Structures are given as structure tokens and as C-alpha cells.
Amino acid sequence: MSVGSVPRSVLFVCRHNAIRSPIAAALARLHAPSIYIRSAGVEYGEADPFAVAVMAEMDLDISKRVPRTLVELADTSFDLIVTLAPEAHHHVLDLARTQSFDVEYWPTLDPSGTDGSREQILESYRACRNALDGVIRERFAS
């Protein structure tokens, strides 16, 4: 696959598959419906209610999805793996030594560490969602 070309399948990977990668996967499904999209984490995580809330604002329902690890996914036959966290990037680069797929690193801040009121926390999650939305629109526009 050449750089910048639109892949047939994409896996988004972050640390816990609770915020960044499920948000990215939902947005990619919205903007690039012809691409096979999945998400996973390098460690076990639990669903994040703030991620669910900010995606619901866009009429995207991720409330029923269950976070999964790369091991649970048991599938790395993707054209492209997009990593969204440093620990995910290092882990995927190790996989890339023995398997054939392209890797792109999109550094994305983890909003889960935000303190403050509910609205301040939601603003942090919205910023994450909006940043991913912009990159996804640009990268996967056909």
C-alpha cells in the first residue's frame, strides 16, 4: 500500500480500547464506510461513559461495544494499523517485524486524565473526538 492511499482494512489501537481507538473506529466507519474497521488495545480496559457521551452527540452509538485487546482480537491481517498512544505504537511495531501491514502513528492525547467539572471533562473528550475526526476525514477521503 502506498503512503496516503486508502486502505481496505484499518485497525485503530490505543492503550485500553476504551476512548481513543473506539472513537476513531466509529468516526472512520462514518466517513469511510467501504473500509473494514476494527479497534483494540494493548491492555485490558473498560468502556468509558464520557467517550460514549461525546459520540452520542454525533448520533454515533458506541455504548454496546466491549473493549478488547489485540490478543482477544486475534487478527492482524489489516492493510493499516493506526496507533494512537505511544505504548500502542511500540507494541504494534514489534508485531510489524513478523507480519505485513503498514503502521501510522497519530499521537492523540488521552482525555481520561482531565480533572474538573463534568463539562470540563466532556470538553476534553470532545477535543479528542474532534481532532480524530479531522485526521480521519483527511486521511481516508476517497
Side-chain angles (χ1 to χ4, degrees):
M1 190 173 76
S2 63
V3 174
S5 66
V6 177
R8 291 183 316 261
S9 58
V10 177
L11 174 65
F12 290 96
V13 183
C14 67
R15 186 170 181 188
H16 293 118
N17 192 224
I19 303 169
R20 294 167 285 183
S21 57
I23 287 175
L27 292 168
R29 285 185 196 104
L30 175 67
H31 299 307
S34 64
I35 299 174
Y36 177 78
I37 306 287
R38 290 290 175 261
S39 69
V42 294
E43 299 172 11
Y44 175 76
E46 294 188 18
D48 187 293
F50 290 111
V52 171
V54 298
M55 295 310 287
E57 292 173 352
M58 294 184 68
D59 293 324
L60 296 172
D61 184 3
I62 63 169
S63 65
K64 293 179 180 41
R65 67 166 304 284
V66 176
R68 66 180 157 237
T69 65
L70 281 167
V71 172
E72 290 170 322
L73 182 66
D75 181 10
T76 53
S77 59
F78 292 87
D79 295 328
L80 173 64
I81 297 182
V82 175
T83 58
L84 304 169
E87 52 273 50
H89 191 64
H90 296 300
H91 188 84
V92 168
L93 287 179
D94 284 341
L95 292 175
R97 291 184 215 190
T98 59
Q99 299 175 42
S100 178
F101 51 77
D102 291 331
V103 179
E104 292 180 13
Y105 178 43
W106 301 355
T108 306
L109 291 176
D110 180 357
S112 67
T114 303
D115 292 325
S117 69
R118 176 176 170 76
E119 189 55 34
Q120 289 169 320
I121 294 168
L122 283 169
E123 277 304 315
S124 179
Y125 278 71
R126 288 180 189 119
C128 174
R129 177 200 64 201
N130 295 344
L132 286 168
D133 191 52
V135 175
I136 288 165
R137 285 174 186 258
E138 182 178 316
R139 174 62 178 87
F140 300 122
S142 43

